[in-house]
Amino acid sequence: MASPRSTVLVWLATLFAFLALDAVWISMVALDMFKSQLGNILRPQPVVSAIVAFYLIYAVGLFVLAVRPALAAGSARIAATSGAMLGLTAYSTYDLTNLALIERYTVGLAVSDLVWGTVASLLASIAGYAVGRKLNAQGAKR
């Protein structure tokens, strides 16, 4: 990473990619699935500060653990595999804990959300990596 500015831009690209992917997933699949499985234990309105905190922290994790090492190695494969591993680990923590503790949390719900988190994390990491490569190439031309 050449400069603090490019670091922030790559983190933002990773964040926005994950946000966009997750917004589609939540609005088209997950919200109805969670409502049908969990119904009245869901809040009528989500806690926005918790949502914001999750996305900011998670994007930092993707950047530090997947995107930055991939850029240092010049490897999209590292971005993909590290992003997927972080997604699998993070979403397993959430989904398997819920499966263990929440009576109405089903195996199907856990597996679908876990797979989604793995794929979305992989794709967001690749997006951050692609932006970083482009910024690095532009910086090298100067």
Side-chain angles (χ1 to χ4, degrees), residues 6-23:
S6 62
T7 298
V8 170
L9 290 174
V10 172
W11 173 74
L12 285 171
T14 306
L15 170 65
F16 289 137
F18 191 80
L19 271 171
L21 290 164
D22 218 30

Side-chain angles (χ1 to χ4, degrees), residues 20-38:
L21 290 164
D22 218 30
V24 171
W25 165 253
I26 290 168
S27 66
M28 298 185 77
V29 178
L31 188 58
D32 289 340
M33 187 170 54
F34 273 77
K35 281 182 179 178
S36 72
Q37 298 290 317
L38 303 175

Side-chain angles (χ1 to χ4, degrees), residues 40-91:
N40 63 355
I41 70 166
L42 295 176
R43 292 179 182 272
Q45 295 297 317
V47 177
V48 174
S49 59
I51 294 169
V52 170
F54 165 73
Y55 284 109
L56 294 175
I57 293 166
Y58 197 69
V60 168
L62 288 172
F63 174 77
V64 169
L65 299 173
V67 177
R68 191 170 60 185
L71 288 168
S75 172
R77 180 176 290 171
I78 290 174
T81 57
S82 297
M85 184 53 69
L86 178 59
L88 178 64
T89 303
Y91 278 72

